[in-house]
Amino acid sequence: MSHQRGNTEKRSMNPKRIAAIALRIALQFRRDHRTLALIILAPIVVLSLLAYLINLRGSPMTVGLAMEDASPPVERFSQELRRLPLFNVRDVARDQVEGLVRSGEMEAAVIIPQGYALRLAGQPGPDLEVVVDGSRSRTAPVVLQGLAQVSLRLAAAQSGAALSEPKVTYVYAGPQYKALDYFAPTFIAFFAFFFVYLLTAIGFLRERAYGTLERLAASPLTKAEIVLGYMLGFGLFAMAQAAVILFFTVYIIGIHYSGNLLIVFLIVAVLTLGAVNMGIFLSTFARTELQAVQFIPLVITPQGLLAGIFWPIPDMHIVFQGIAHLLPLTYANFALQEVMVKGKGVLDASVAADLGALLLFAAIQVALASIGLRRATT
Amino acid sequence: MPTDLAIQAKGLVKRFGSVVAVNGLDLGVEPGITYGLLGPNGSGKTTLVRLLLGVILPNEGSITVMGRRVPDRVLRSQMGYMPQSLALYEDLTVTENVSFYARLMDAYSPPRVEETIQLVDMASRARSAVSTLSGGMKRRVSLACALVHRPVMLFLDEPTVGVDPQLRAQFWDHFQRLNQQGVTIVVCTHVMDEAERCTRLGLLHQGRLLAEGTARELRARAGAETLEEAFLRFSSQ
Ligand SMILES: Nc1ncnc2c1ncn2[C@@H]1O[C@H](COP(=O)(O)OP(=O)(O)OP(=O)(O)O)[C@@H](O)[C@H]1O
Ligand SMILES: [Mg+2]
């Protein structure tokens, strides 16, 4: 903690002092049942919600069908449409469509115009018209998927090849199931970072507010010992949390998991090192606990949005891709996905590179935290 | 320059932005005494103590403690500090707090922790969380944390605020015993009867040492009956 001016003996690190801090944090944590429950329950609640939402099929959607072409191919098309479990089809007339959708009586309507049979036969002709209630994001994709399924079935029937039904269903449910597998790694990283940042920032703020930092400053503790002690103390709980998330997602939600647990913990440890130091650094800019919480939208939310958790990074605008590659959560996310979903090891080039990036981020944060510590004590 | 002073400070200046908290201060404290710092709120007592501990660095001047230039890590393990705020972990028990500071100073042993808690008369509440203690009890625990590693030099920033008269007398008896063992004590106080018990006193005013000496000397020099009166006269000069 002191500002060395050369005349002291070499800055050897004292493992006992590091352990003293880690032990103290663990003791404080053990007493704080609410926080303890929170770091375990919060990820479980969020993951359960996500699992539910992602696998959500919903009740069949009421869809209106206005048939203006009554030729046999179109008749077959409409029969297939009625057969889809996704839809609850009601016959309507074109001029009723807008009113019914607007009133919410049906979520969407499909109009089959006169001459659509030509289109079905592969000739130029008018195309289907779809009217959707734009207020629900699921409507349009589900209707379009349904129509695509119908076309697929018809095409299969026409060419004589029997396209098996389960395969067609897979078009709908398949990709979403896979997405869930990617959520577990992502959430281990996100929650580890989030809670370690928050707890360190608040822990440090208290250390300042209650004057205990003053005593630490007057003790032989070095900055490195403080940082390591904090990392060890909070890191242990981050690991426990990672273990719970892993267990929950693998055994309760039932994701596919093929990784090595030790590597998962290694990645979490390196991520935690960065988060502890970021917490220390940012806490020196906050005067109250509320202010430390107010940093969340600034430092945590962008990471949640840009680190490839909900949207794939390659789909983003080039500027946001650049930002994403500056965020530690991006690398933790990549590394954990490689390890957990694909079963890669630490020696795998991409995992090693991600770990390297995380170490670099931690190193930058260590430097910032020691500047912050100096600000806080002088 | 060799010196047998426990603390020697020269030309100390400490500024916080535009505030000059310590303004060209020289100080010498002999070993084994209790040196009292007196002065109104904001006169720079706490700042001076923090400078002597090496918690903050002076803008100008130099400090030597026990022959070593401050800041110095070896010195830190030989100094005890009771800050003006309690500086305790409220969610931990008395024993856990004292043990933590003992470990930091590399001086942990269960008997020593227990003994120190007994010394401040808190043995019956050793297992209570600090948050459940009364204000005076917290002070006692705070003192225990400063004493547990048996420092050679003790810095006490208003140690008896909120402590009852009986225990306050016990505190000061203990400080006297520590002096006899060779421990040097620097104590900030606003309480005049405590000031009377200090070996020497320094009167601080606006970051400067107005006057220095034993209580008797200071009273005589100001031609005052009481220390309080003496202090008021010095400040109005
Ligand atoms: N960390 C700081 N940042 C800015 N100003 C400070 C800081 N610490 C002290 N000061 C200022 O320095 C001056 C001296 O403060 P100090 O705490 O040393 O006084 P004190 O004699 O201990 O007062 P008290 O009897 O109230 O404890 C005050 O004007 C105070 O506002
Ligand atoms: Mg003070």
Side-chain angles (χ1 to χ4, degrees):
Chain A
M1 289 288 301
S2 75
H3 319 289
Q4 296 296 297
R5 273 188 187 161
N7 65 338
T8 46
E9 59 177 30
K10 71 177 183 347
R11 301 164 152 242
S12 55
M13 257 208 266
N14 184 330
K16 277 193 208 159
R17 289 198 291 258
I18 297 172
I21 294 196
L23 177 72
R24 191 207 84 211
I25 289 171
L27 276 174
Q28 288 180 294
F29 226 116
R30 211 189 56 195
R31 294 275 151 70
D32 190 355
H33 298 282
R34 220 166 297 170
T35 304
L36 211 52
L38 191 70
I39 69 163
I40 301 301
L41 285 180
I44 289 182
V45 168
V46 173
L47 278 165
S48 307
L49 263 176
L50 270 170
Y52 168 72
L53 289 174
I54 286 169
N55 289 336
L56 189 70
R57 291 185 195 228
S59 47
M61 187 187 288
T62 307
V63 175
L65 181 63
M67 291 254 288
E68 300 186 328
D69 186 333
S71 60
V74 172
E75 202 55 59
R76 224 175 305 135
F77 184 93
S78 77
Q79 273 166 20
E80 286 294 339
L81 196 62
R82 285 172 217 278
R83 213 175 284 165
L84 283 184
L86 282 175
F87 299 144
N88 174 13
V89 177
R90 277 174 51 190
D91 286 302
V92 293
R94 181 191 275 270
D95 52 9
Q96 293 176 291
V97 162
E98 208 187 312
L100 288 169
V101 171
R102 207 176 274 281
S103 71
E105 233 163 294
M106 43 190 56
E107 238 180 286
V110 177
I111 300 166
I112 305 183
Q114 180 66 44
Y116 184 61
L118 285 172
R119 182 91 177 196
L120 278 176
Q123 289 163 17
D127 206 345
L128 292 174
E129 292 166 44
V130 177
V131 178
V132 298
D133 168 4
S135 64
R136 295 174 71 171
S137 60
R138 73 159 183 164
T139 316
V142 170
V143 171
L144 293 176
Q145 268 170 346
L147 292 173
Q149 279 184 42
V150 170
S151 305
L152 262 172
R153 289 187 198 190
L154 286 180
Q158 263 165 12
S159 67
L163 203 64
S164 69
E165 236 173 85
K167 208 160 196 178
V168 180
T169 326
Y170 182 82
V171 171
Y172 173 57
Q176 276 86 353
Y177 254 122
K178 267 195 180 156
L180 196 54
D181 289 349
Y182 282 90
F183 269 119
T186 286
F187 273 89
I188 287 177
F190 182 79
F191 280 115
F193 195 90
F194 177 76
F195 278 107
V196 169
Y197 160 74
L198 191 65
L199 295 174
T200 311
I202 288 181
F204 230 81
L205 211 69
R206 289 204 181 141
E207 200 96 73
R208 225 162 24 126
Y210 286 96
T212 49
L213 188 63
E214 185 77 358
R215 264 207 239 256
L216 300 191
S219 80
L221 266 182
T222 63
K223 286 195 199 83
E225 286 165 359
I226 292 188
V227 164
L228 282 174
Y230 259 75
M231 192 214 135
L232 213 64
F234 286 129
L236 282 175
F237 291 93
M239 303 288 170
Q241 186 191 48
V244 170
I245 297 179
L246 207 57
F247 176 85
F248 184 76
T249 48
V250 172
Y251 293 101
I252 314 281
I253 298 184
I255 63 149
H256 305 106
Y257 170 70
S258 53
N260 179 334
L261 207 61
L262 282 179
I263 307 177
V264 171
F265 287 150
L266 175 70
I267 296 169
V268 172
V270 178
L271 182 68
T272 303
L273 183 62
V276 162
N277 284 287
M278 196 174 88
I280 293 176
F281 174 59
L282 287 179
S283 79
T284 62
F285 291 96
R287 236 168 252 121
T288 61
E289 295 177 12
L290 189 63
Q291 285 181 353
V293 172
Q294 282 165 354
F295 282 123
I296 290 174
L298 211 63
V299 297
I300 305 289
T301 316
Q303 298 209 73
L305 295 176
L306 295 179
I309 297 180
F310 297 106
W311 294 281
I313 293 172
D315 291 355
M316 292 174 191
H317 187 275
I318 185 83
V319 173
F320 288 111
Q321 286 195 30
I323 297 174
H325 283 96
L326 294 176
L327 306 175
L329 215 52
T330 303
Y331 297 97
N333 206 359
F334 282 169
L336 286 171
Q337 284 181 353
E338 293 290 305
V339 172
M340 290 173 63
V341 180
K342 299 181 189 158
K344 299 225 167 115
V346 212
L347 294 179
D348 177 85
S350 61
V351 176
D354 292 336
L355 269 175
L358 284 177
L359 278 171
L360 184 67
F361 172 78
I364 294 170
Q365 291 302 328
V366 169
L368 289 176
S370 43
I371 295 171
L373 275 179
R374 192 165 305 158
R375 268 171 37 97
T377 47
T378 47
Chain B
M1 72 230 118
T3 167
D4 48 11
L5 288 175
I7 300 172
Q8 191 167 43
K10 285 217 165 97
L12 284 186
V13 175
K14 180 63 188 180
R15 287 182 282 265
F16 294 107
S18 59
V19 176
V20 189
V22 171
N23 192 2
L25 190 143
D26 297 315
L27 183 75
V29 177
E30 294 110 63
I33 69 161
T34 296
Y35 190 100
L37 289 172
L38 265 85
N41 294 140
S43 55
K45 301 181 296 295
T46 300
T47 307
L48 178 58
V49 165
R50 296 176 77 210
L51 284 168
L52 298 178
L53 281 156
V55 172
I56 52 173
L57 293 181
N59 297 101
E60 287 165 40
S62 67
I63 303 164
T64 314
V65 171
M66 296 185 290
R68 301 181 83 108
R69 179 82 183 261
V70 174
D72 181 300
R73 203 173 303 287
V74 174
L75 270 182
R76 281 160 191 267
S77 52
Q78 295 166 21
M79 301 200 285
Y81 177 28
M82 181 176 171
Q84 192 167 356
S85 61
L86 290 166
L88 297 171
Y89 298 96
E90 297 260 336
D91 42 356
L92 297 185
T93 66
V94 171
T95 304
E96 286 164 350
N97 267 284
V98 178
S99 302
F100 170 66
Y101 287 113
R103 285 195 180 95
L104 276 196
M105 295 300 191
D106 220 343
Y108 175 73
S109 80
R112 182 180 287 196
V113 168
E114 204 178 312
E115 194 181 299
T116 313
I117 292 173
Q118 255 159 25
L119 190 73
V120 296
D121 203 14
M122 283 299 292
S124 60
R125 299 297 296 270
R127 286 161 173 281
S128 303
V130 167
S131 59
T132 65
L133 301 179
S134 77
M137 291 175 180
K138 289 179 186 176
R139 280 274 152 210
R140 293 191 239 164
V141 179
S142 179
L143 179 64
C145 292
L147 292 176
V148 66
H149 59 294
R150 304 207 178 132
V152 185
M153 182 128 344
L154 199 52
F155 294 88
L156 308 169
D157 199 345
E158 301 186 22
T160 57
V161 175
V163 173
D164 61 66
Q166 201 179 342
L167 196 75
R168 182 186 298 211
Q170 279 177 37
F171 268 26
W172 279 87
D173 289 344
H174 185 67
F175 297 159
Q176 213 156 24
R177 271 201 301 283
L178 288 174
N179 278 160
Q180 282 156 14
Q181 292 161 20
V183 176
T184 311
I185 301 176
V186 175
V187 56
C188 306
T189 183
H190 288 293
V191 185
M192 290 303 151
D193 67 333
E194 287 185 2
E196 294 282 356
R197 293 192 68 163
C198 294
T199 327
R200 283 180 80 78
L201 291 168
L203 299 191
L204 248 74
H205 190 70
Q206 292 176 352
R208 274 180 238 252
L209 213 49
L210 271 190
E212 207 199 18
T214 63
R216 187 177 307 174
E217 280 168 10
L218 289 174
R219 270 197 305 269
R221 216 181 308 159
E225 289 279 307
T226 64
L227 209 49
E228 203 148 11
E229 211 181 312
F231 185 61
L232 290 173
R233 283 196 194 164
F234 279 116
S235 337
S236 58
Q237 269 169 22

